[in-house]
Amino acid sequence: LQRESVSLRESFTRFLGRSDVLEDMAREARRLNPENGNGKGTACFSTSNEEGKQAVQGKKQVEGVPAEIEAIVARALGRARPLWDDFEANIRGSLLSEEVKAFESGAQGAMRQIGFQGVFDLRNPRILDYLATRTNMLAGGVSDTNFEAIRDTITKGFFVDGKGPLDVARDLKGEFDFLSSARARTIARTETLIASEQGQFEQWYVIGVESKRWMSVGDDGRTRPWHLEADGQTVDLFEPFIVNGEEMMHPGDPTASPENVISCRCGSGPVVETSKISEPWLGE
């Protein structure tokens, strides 16, 4: 993920060098407010009113900025949108591959927990479609968030702060730190946990496991206290664990809050009654 982010930054930098987008924006800023002079130091639009403040503060900085300006920036960045589309597609492909592997690993591990042999190869269209939908949403969210941040930085720099092209270019560089190595690892770890636990759950259901147990890593100073409290909690297979007052079908449950999911290292295990065990699922 971080590699894709670096690639996007390099591609966008080349785009800016070829397209003169920043120079065009500086000219438009001066046209809309001639008092801005050479595009440095004087804000083009007052932010004294509440609407203007909302335009500068927070994530959606372009709110409250005149529609003419939004249209100008949208047209300029529209030429760069294919870069973000490629970025999204690359993230989607990378994540889907890893999630399929994690799902297979979870299902394979569930077989071994019960003592079955065999090789799990995920081919089921329902599961593959689900994983693809999840990675599409995640990749699209990462791509759109970054594109909006770039758009807002340009809008604020030229049309609110009255900056020149070089200053805006410096500001843009910082927006590409959004997918640092730490955040990339967090996303990858969280997503693979979710897929692995779901693969395990599906396998347990087919085999005939009726109950499951929450298993925390242990008190190593990194495990959440409420996950330590959940350690050993046993519920029916289709019943949720209660973790810090929240219902979770398994560690990493994507419907749970970020506080319960992000970077979680917990797992779950089967409670087996051997008389009810049937043949495992091999992925079809």
Side-chain angles (χ1 to χ4, degrees):
L1 299 180
Q2 187 186 23
R3 182 176 64 248
E4 296 300 339
S5 177
V6 171
S7 177
L8 175 62
R9 180 182 62 201
E10 293 173 348
S11 298
F12 187 63
T13 300
R14 289 194 296 271
F15 164 79
L16 290 178
R18 294 192 307 265
S19 63
D20 295 330
V21 164
L22 297 186
E23 287 77 6
D24 291 345
M25 293 297 95
R27 282 194 294 272
E28 289 296 331
R30 290 193 296 270
R31 179 181 67 82
L32 290 168
N33 187 353
E35 294 180 1
N36 194 43
N38 62 5
K40 296 179 181 179
T42 304
C44 294
F45 296 93
S46 170
T47 59
S48 59
N49 59 55
E50 192 61 33
E51 185 180 47
K53 289 179 182 178
Q54 291 173 0
V56 179
Q57 297 171 353
K59 199 166 185 180
K60 294 186 176 180
Q61 294 169 327
V62 293
E63 289 185 0
V65 171
E68 180 182 4
I69 292 174
E70 290 188 340
I72 290 169
V73 177
R75 282 196 302 271
L77 283 183
R79 289 176 280 166
R81 185 69 226 197
L83 301 178
W84 269 263
D85 293 340
D86 289 343
F87 173 64
E88 180 179 332
N90 290 337
I91 290 181
R92 183 169 60 243
S94 298
L95 283 175
L96 181 57
S97 175
E98 292 306 311
E99 290 206 356
V100 168
K101 291 177 184 176
F103 190 99
E104 290 177 337
S105 176
Q108 186 82 54
M111 290 169 55
R112 291 174 180 161
Q113 288 169 336
I114 314 299
F116 284 112
Q117 301 299 316
V119 177
F120 186 90
D121 179 16
L122 181 59
R123 304 181 300 280
N124 185 281
R126 174 180 65 87
I127 303 297
L128 290 170
D129 287 347
Y130 166 77
L131 294 177
T133 298
R134 179 163 179 80
T135 54
N136 285 346
M137 292 177 59
L138 182 61
V142 170
S143 176
D144 288 345
T145 297
N146 186 238
F147 188 84
E148 290 170 5
I150 295 298
R151 180 199 63 194
D152 293 351
T153 296
I154 289 177
T155 301
K156 180 177 181 293
F158 284 124
F159 299 102
V160 176
D161 294 342
K163 292 182 177 181
L166 289 179
D167 288 333
V168 173
R170 293 189 192 99
D171 293 342
L172 287 174
K173 289 181 180 179
E175 296 297 345
F176 283 99
D177 294 335
F178 75 106
L179 205 56
S180 64
S181 58
R183 186 181 176 205
R185 285 195 300 271
T186 296
I187 291 173
R189 183 184 300 118
T190 302
E191 291 303 307
T192 52
L193 169 65
I194 292 170
S196 176
E197 285 287 326
Q198 290 173 332
Q200 186 171 251
F201 181 89
E202 293 277 349
Q203 186 66 273
W204 287 344
Y205 169 67
V206 172
I207 290 174
V209 171
E210 294 186 347
S211 301
K212 60 193 177 187
R213 179 182 295 114
W214 187 284
M215 300 184 300
S216 65
V217 172
D219 191 4
D220 59 356
R222 297 169 55 198
T223 302
R224 298 165 173 87
W226 53 93
H227 285 189
L228 285 174
E229 292 175 3
D231 187 47
Q233 185 181 148
T234 301
V235 298
D236 290 343
L237 187 65
F238 284 95
E239 291 296 319
F241 297 104
I242 305 300
V243 185
N244 200 31
E246 187 170 27
E247 294 186 351
M248 298 181 69
M249 291 302 293
H250 54 76
D253 186 337
T255 66
S257 64
E259 291 78 12
N260 254 335
V261 174
I262 293 175
S263 294
C264 176
R265 298 172 298 141
C266 297
S268 55
V271 179
V272 181
E273 294 183 32
T274 55
S275 62
K276 299 182 179 180
I277 296 302
S278 60
E279 291 297 312
W281 171 43
L282 297 179
E284 71 285 351

